[in-house]
Amino acid sequence: RALALAQTNHDLRPGGIEAVQLAQALFVTGSVDAAREVIDGVLASSFVHAELFETAAHIARAQGDARADEFMNRARAINPNIELSFLD
């Protein structure tokens, strides 16, 4: 259900945070490649948010991408208290 809601939200408001939330929903439902595709689109935009980089870090780590630590460092530079909120 969360994935369907995230997709609808992104379809209606295709902004940065909505795309991040869609990537998170895809990730937690096991669609890691689809999550990567969505998050890469956000990373290519001008949108900057700690949650973007945190999400990118988890996706990258799941795929063995060496940039995982770089993404998490960028998340913590914005918000030193960032946690695995979407994985709860």
Side-chain angles (χ1 to χ4, degrees):
R1 175 120 173 99
L3 178 55
L5 291 172
Q7 184 66 62
T8 299
N9 188 42
H10 181 260
D11 291 346
L12 294 172
R13 298 181 295 184
I17 199 65
E18 292 81 13
V20 170
Q21 291 167 344
L22 175 57
Q24 291 170 346
L26 288 162
F27 182 80
V28 299
T29 58
S31 298
V32 180
D33 291 339
R36 178 63 178 261
E37 187 176 320
V38 172
I39 213 68
D40 281 349
V42 184
L43 289 168
S45 74
S46 61
F47 183 74
V48 175
H49 195 280
E51 205 169 330
L52 162 63
F53 296 114
E54 176 201 22
T55 304
H58 294 296
I59 294 168
R61 191 165 288 115
Q63 294 186 316
D65 185 333
R67 296 179 300 161
D69 289 339
E70 173 191 335
F71 290 139
M72 190 55 79
N73 289 338
R74 290 186 71 182
R76 288 190 177 123
I78 297 167
N79 179 357
N81 299 314
I82 194 93
E83 296 193 22
L84 310 175
S85 55
F86 77 94
L87 296 177
D88 291 339

